[in-house]
Amino acid sequence: MEKKETVDPAVVDMLEVARSQGISTPFDRGRAVKPCPIGQEGNCCRQCFMGPCRFVGKVEVGVCGATRETIQARNLARMIAGGAASHSDHGRNMAFTLLAVAEGKAPGFEIKDERKLKRVAGFMGIETKERTNNEIALDVAKTALGEWGKQTGELIYLKRAPAKRQAIWRKLGIAPRGIDREIVECMHRTHMGTDQDAENILNHALCTSLVDGWGGSMLATDISDILFGTPVPVAATSNFGALKQDEVNVVVHGHEPTLAEMLVIESTNPEVIAYAQSKGAKGVNLVGMCCSGNEILARRGVPIVGNFMQQELAIASGAVEAMVVDYQCIMQGIVEAASKLHTRVITTSRKAKITGATHIEFEDEKGPEIARLILRTAIDQFPNRKDVHIPDYLDRLIVGFSHEYIAYMQGGVYRESFRPFNDAVMQGRIRGAAGVVGCNNAHSVHDEAHINLVKEFIKNDVLVVTTGCNAVACAKHGLLTPEVMRYAGPGLSEICETLGIPPILHLGSCVDNSRILTILSQCATEGGLGEDISDLPVVGVAPEWMSEKALSIGAYFVASGVYTIFGVGSPVEGCQPTVEMISKGWEEKVGGKLEFETDWRKMLEKGLAHIDLKRKLLKIEEYNPTKYAKSSNYIPGDAYSWETLQTGAYSRGGAK
Ligand code: NFS
Ligand code: SF4
């Protein structure tokens, strides 16, 4: 039997369309390009040109004498550095945009969230009294930028972690000094002939990941909130049905919210709409993909069309006039796909061009002008449309659960806290929490592990927070709606009902995993659930990971004290001592461990067992699923049933 490719029926539909047009997708390329079995297990070193040294057969050391442990640790550390660099460089861009806004050099942008600006200024020790927003923002931007170039001391945001956690980092010598410094040092240490003690390399890998979670990503989230608003719940839609038959469709794909926000504003500009009408379209329909998509979804309710594996498929619909990309997670294959149709791929960052794409570089100084130029370029393609195939799949959802909002909804303006959540966990109404996040991978069944894990967690009274491509998978499967609470366990659904929240909370893009760190810190210091993140009954899962960024996120969760499970396969599979170092070894050092598990059922089992173990260690009420009666009398809606959610064959419609 053919291997199942996806659990999303809209993707099944579009795969057929793409194949009939000879458009290549990662689903097909994933079959054609098999991973090298040596490299896949981490058993290949290519750090110098005496190699690449392949550790196969009787080979136990490389030409330089490096051991398997050393090269495995180096490979993993370099992947983490790659991920940390990507998130952090994104954060740097955000800081430069804030600087430009504060200096009055970024027309069209403004400080949207004054409260957040002041809160961030508070973290940074910046005076806010009797100062204008721009004055405060100037200092915030400069202080933030200083975090990249800092050589000594510690990252400012480390003090947002529980005191016990900070002490662990300092004792182990992994409290990061500056963002760029630790990433550069990681590249240096892993150069041929430098750090050749696997444990020492892996300690620094943890330090490198911390500059992502508590540095670049946290700053990216904070500054995005200052500039574009801290997310609050908003209703939206998802999947291919969000593309419109009679409008110019522009897919915004990548990671930064800056240009995406400007496109949202300019797509409603009467001049732009009039231009679209002059070409026979009703208007401009903006939709998102991957994390730029998550950013404008969470803040503006802009529909999200799909996750990582769906980029070429969106183009294959024949309804996309332009796919506008910045950086990260963009398949080069989109240019080839676009060349078969009328779609223009528009690259916008000087850091990320793609051969064959149209390059329109974004600059903060000319935001509205460039956004209009991009939209006009898209509109010009509308008359060139040929066959259009928009699958009739559209799901509705509620997104926008920032950590600020989650605290707010547990007590309002005057009493916001995590007390209700902590109490519910202590009573055993909520068993624990899971952060289910991360990519899709061409070697997994698309969205299958994502969806099944999330559903099983809530059924077992585990509250789920989600970001990135998992969040998009949940969106497309109707899992981000309040109705889903009727399928949650009795205790969890009771709490969700009381608080008025869905049991699966969309927290944003992948840099917004930093919001999870903030939430965990707040839970740990709220009282009743220990004193440190590692005391909490929580687990992190990336069931379909593929990117270096995912590894960096996983490592900073571990370094922050969270048991983290990755799916698909292990990049250190080929060396048992390294496997032990990052699981048992890291657990002894920082209280969190990293494990790889291919079967989602086992990930669930391990996750629940860990949650129960932490409950036991906290000496709180033993979790008993039958203790609380189901209180679903007031939960509305019959749109979804558990069985149909299981198969993915739920009703959709109204796409046009
Ligand atoms: Ni995260 Fe977002 Fe998706 Fe993975 Fe890529 S889009 S930053 S890396 S693939 S979740
Ligand atoms: Fe081989 Fe050592 Fe060079 Fe790696 S650094 S390629 S193990 S000689």
Side-chain angles (χ1 to χ4, degrees):
M1 205 182 94
E2 269 284 280
K3 192 178 158 244
K4 188 159 65 166
E5 299 184 295
T6 176
V7 294
D8 183 342
V11 170
V12 174
D13 192 348
M14 281 313 299
L15 266 170
E16 211 174 289
V17 175
R19 282 172 186 148
S20 71
Q21 300 178 93
I23 289 176
S24 132
T25 70
F27 292 90
D28 294 330
R29 297 192 297 267
R31 266 204 209 107
V33 187
K34 293 267 179 280
C36 158
I38 305 165
Q40 192 182 31
E41 296 194 331
N43 278 336
C44 169
C45 179
R46 32 167 310 184
Q47 249 73 290
C48 87
F49 207 57
M50 294 191 288
C53 294
R54 303 180 306 161
F55 287 61
V56 283
K58 291 205 175 94
V59 176
E60 274 308 318
V61 291
V63 175
C64 66
T67 63
R68 201 185 283 256
E69 285 89 329
T70 298
I71 68 124
Q72 288 268 357
R74 281 202 299 230
N75 288 341
L76 183 65
R78 282 209 163 191
M79 288 182 86
I80 290 170
S86 305
H87 279 149
S88 296
D89 211 34
H90 165 171
R92 186 199 321 263
N93 273 17
M94 300 312 304
F96 272 116
T97 302
L98 183 64
L99 183 69
V101 171
E103 288 175 338
K105 291 180 187 159
F109 293 112
E110 57 182 352
I111 310 283
K112 267 253 168 62
D113 192 337
E114 186 181 323
R115 257 180 76 189
K116 181 95 186 205
L117 174 70
K118 291 190 172 152
R119 187 175 290 193
V120 171
F123 293 139
M124 295 175 168
I126 291 165
E127 184 58 64
T128 56
K129 277 197 202 100
E130 288 165 36
R131 299 185 77 197
T132 66
N133 282 351
N134 276 3
E135 283 167 353
I136 301 169
L138 190 68
D139 282 356
V140 167
K142 284 184 178 164
T143 307
L145 286 167
E147 292 294 273
W148 275 268
K150 208 147 90 182
Q151 303 300 327
T152 53
E154 270 179 16
L155 291 187
I156 297 169
Y157 276 181
L158 298 192
K159 63 172 191 279
R160 288 174 61 174
K164 248 184 149 174
R165 184 63 15 204
Q166 298 175 42
I168 290 171
W169 294 334
R170 288 186 195 116
K171 188 160 171 246
L172 199 60
I174 60 167
R177 296 157 293 188
I179 298 173
D180 289 349
R181 173 157 193 189
E182 306 305 356
I183 294 169
V184 168
E185 185 170 313
C186 193
M187 296 308 284
H188 175 196
R189 283 183 187 228
T190 51
H191 184 274
M192 186 269 157
T194 310
D195 199 349
Q196 292 168 104
D197 178 82
E199 231 184 292
N200 205 40
I201 295 167
L202 290 171
N203 280 352
H204 190 72
L206 288 177
C207 172
T208 306
S209 74
L210 287 173
V211 308
D212 176 352
W214 298 86
S217 279
M218 204 173 266
L219 285 163
T221 295
D222 278 353
I223 297 172
S224 303
D225 285 352
I226 292 171
L227 287 171
F228 311 121
T230 302
V232 295
V234 53
T237 55
S238 70
N239 218 329
F240 290 126
L243 295 169
K244 294 208 173 130
Q245 199 68 258
D246 49 7
E247 292 191 30
V248 174
N249 291 302
V250 178
V251 179
V252 183
H253 175 21
H255 283 78
E256 252 193 46
T258 319
L259 168 62
E261 285 279 339
M262 199 48 82
L263 288 169
V264 175
I265 296 167
E266 289 302 326
S267 66
T268 59
N269 181 330
E271 255 175 58
V272 172
I273 295 172
Y275 189 61
Q277 285 165 346
S278 77
K279 300 282 177 180
K282 272 201 180 143
V284 176
N285 179 43
L286 222 59
V287 295
M289 175 155 274
C290 288
C291 281
S292 285
N294 273 321
E295 299 268 1
I296 47 176
L297 170 69
R299 293 198 180 85
R300 304 268 169 262
V302 172
I304 189 140
V305 85
N307 50 12
F308 180 62
M309 289 291 280
Q310 292 174 255
Q311 357 192 330
E312 285 94 336
L313 295 178
I315 292 174
S317 70
V320 174
E321 276 59 53
M323 186 172 272
V324 185
V325 305
D326 47 49
Y327 44 56
Q328 299 169 20
C329 304
I330 322 285
M331 302 255 188
Q332 188 164 354
I334 57 173
V335 171
E336 170 66 21
S339 73
K340 298 215 156 57
L341 292 156
H342 74 306
T343 310
R344 290 287 280 273
V345 173
I346 303 174
T347 52
T348 59
S349 165
R350 62 184 282 269
K351 295 175 200 173
K353 292 190 177 181
I354 307 177
T355 311
T358 307
H359 188 72
I360 303 177
E361 202 157 302
F362 184 74
E363 295 163 53
D364 289 331
E365 291 72 16
K366 297 188 207 153
E369 199 182 309
I370 292 167
R372 282 195 297 273
L373 173 62
I374 289 171
L375 293 174
R376 270 202 306 275
T377 310
I379 293 167
D380 284 337
Q381 294 305 103
F382 188 76
N384 302 330
R385 262 195 200 178
K386 291 181 200 103
D387 291 343
V388 168
H389 183 101
I390 301 176
D392 193 15
Y393 290 96
L394 190 72
D395 260 293
R396 57 204 174 77
L397 50 128
I398 293 177
V399 295
F401 295 93
S402 54
H403 52 272
E404 284 89 348
Y405 193 83
I406 296 174
Y408 165 75
M409 87 205 163
Q410 296 181 79
V413 177
Y414 299 107
R415 289 194 304 140
E416 61 169 43
S417 77
F418 274 77
R419 198 65 257 158
F421 173 80
N422 278 24
D423 285 344
V425 173
M426 289 163 72
Q427 295 153 354
R429 283 187 157 86
I430 294 182
R431 188 172 184 175
V436 190
V437 306
C439 327
N440 295 130
N441 188 309
H443 300 300
S444 313
V445 179
H446 172 239
D447 287 349
E448 185 181 56
H450 278 317
I451 296 309
N452 284 323
L453 267 170
V454 164
K455 286 194 301 203
E456 290 298 325
F457 272 130
I458 62 163
K459 199 170 146 194
N460 282 283
D461 286 310
V462 173
L463 178 80
V464 172
V465 293
T466 170
T467 60
C469 287
N470 176 276
V472 184
C474 290
K476 293 183 299 155
H477 289 77
L479 290 169
L480 300 182
T481 54
E483 289 93 324
V484 168
M485 74 172 89
R486 68 162 53 197
Y487 307 108
L492 177 62
S493 66
E494 186 193 341
I495 299 298
C496 289
E497 204 179 328
T498 316
L499 295 177
I501 53 160
I504 304 162
L505 300 173
H506 180 296
L507 258 58
S509 65
C510 287
V511 293
D512 292 331
N513 281 312
S514 63
R515 295 192 201 277
I516 302 180
L517 296 178
T518 306
I519 291 172
L520 293 172
S521 302
Q522 286 175 341
C523 292
T525 47
E526 178 70 46
L529 295 178
E531 296 173 335
D532 191 2
I533 295 171
S534 56
D535 297 330
L536 301 171
V538 299
V539 62
V541 195
E544 301 178 25
W545 77 283
M546 65 88 200
S547 79
E548 292 176 325
K549 290 180 291 171
L551 271 183
S552 175
I553 294 165
Y556 75 63
F557 270 109
V558 170
S560 304
V562 181
Y563 173 32
T564 305
I565 313 170
F566 272 46
V568 192
S570 164
V572 295
E573 184 67 31
C575 182
Q576 201 48 37
T578 316
V579 172
E580 301 268 314
M581 276 180 219
I582 62 170
S583 50
K584 273 198 205 109
W586 275 356
E587 192 172 33
E588 279 160 24
K589 286 179 181 167
V590 289
K593 58 180 169 177
L594 183 59
E595 281 181 2
F596 294 85
E597 174 56 64
T598 48
D599 182 347
W600 67 263
R601 288 169 200 83
K602 289 198 184 128
M603 287 183 227
L604 175 75
E605 244 169 61
K606 286 181 162 187
L608 292 177
H610 177 79
I611 285 172
D612 290 343
L613 173 70
K614 289 290 170 184
R615 296 187 64 87
K616 208 169 165 191
L617 293 172
L618 283 167
K619 300 196 176 64
I620 53 177
E621 186 93 29
E622 197 176 329
Y623 168 72
N624 172 1
T626 58
K627 185 169 170 187
Y628 300 101
K630 186 100 182 161
S631 61
S632 59
N633 294 351
Y634 298 101
I635 300 173
D638 287 320
Y640 305 95
S641 77
W642 180 254
E643 290 66 33
T644 53
L645 280 171
Q646 288 285 35
T647 58
Y650 26 87
S651 74
R652 313 209 201 195
K656 304 288 145 41

